[in-house]
Amino acid sequence: MIWEDFANSLWHDWRGSGASEDRLFQASWRQWFWSKHGPDAARMPEPTPTELAELQRLRDELRRLTAALVGARRDSLPLTASELEPFQAELQEAPFRLDLQLEQNALRLERRPLASDWQAIRFRVAAAYADMLASGGAERLRICDNPDCKWIYYDETKNRSKRYCDDKACGNLLKVRRFRERARQHPKT
């Protein structure tokens, strides 16, 4: 999902080294993201410093809102309108054209950005996240249970019980850590 790839452009070393990097400021990450989600896969414009700051602000807002939604679910507290205000401001700036498409005897409403630059990407990310929330997807939002990882993901499991972004990486790492901790606390004599 475009919003998921975008929100995770802030990377944390899931193995616990404490290292992190903001991939939004790396040309190679932007090229990967543009080729996957950009309106014109062949032509990626270089973002201006202002666009990078706006993209970073949106990414930080998605991460903040996701953490609030995940925390609210755990504490049974609803989100307030004031918690949604910064994200609402992002959505209100979005310049889109609406097109009704006929595909295989079905109608589909499509939002088309009026630009094909990083602003358009920013608005597509915000719209995709808003669509996910409006369609009831907030209950499937997760932040990896590995405290070193902080990866945001959409839990697509049937019973909504996924705890780690990747069971083979973070899941196994934490299982090994728990096993070693138990072995230290209860050594065999």
Side-chain angles (χ1 to χ4, degrees), residues 36-164:
K36 186 172 179 182
H37 300 292
D40 179 2
R43 184 188 77 73
M44 179 193 81
E46 193 59 34
T48 66
T50 300
E51 286 175 322
L52 276 174
E54 290 170 343
L55 290 165
Q56 186 179 27
R57 186 180 69 237
L58 174 60
R59 193 262 325 275
D60 295 346
E61 181 56 29
L62 293 182
R63 294 184 70 81
R64 183 201 64 79
L65 188 54
T66 299
L69 288 164
V70 170
R73 188 171 53 246
R74 288 186 181 144
D75 299 335
S76 299
L77 298 173
L79 288 177
T80 65
S82 64
E83 287 177 297
L84 290 173
E85 274 181 29
F87 186 64
Q88 283 284 30
E90 290 286 339
L91 292 172
Q92 290 170 355
E93 290 182 31
F96 284 100
R97 180 181 83 214
L98 296 173
D99 287 334
L100 196 56
Q101 302 289 321
L102 179 61
E103 292 180 1
Q104 299 174 349
N105 294 326
L107 291 172
R108 181 173 56 86
L109 186 62
E110 186 172 315
R111 282 184 299 256
R112 296 191 188 270
L114 296 177
S116 60
D117 56 7
W118 284 100
Q119 291 291 80
I121 289 287
R122 187 173 127 226
F123 300 132
R124 284 184 56 217
V125 167
Y129 191 82
D131 281 340
M132 179 271 303
L133 293 177
S135 67
E139 291 184 11
R140 291 188 176 271
L141 277 175
R142 302 284 186 272
I143 299 174
C144 184
D145 275 359
N146 178 352
D148 295 317
C149 179
K150 300 178 182 130
W151 196 264
I152 293 172
Y153 64 95
Y154 188 81
D155 182 359
E156 295 186 40
T157 61
K158 187 174 182 179
N159 63 1
R160 301 176 187 178
S161 63
K162 189 172 178 182
R163 295 180 53 203
Y164 304 104

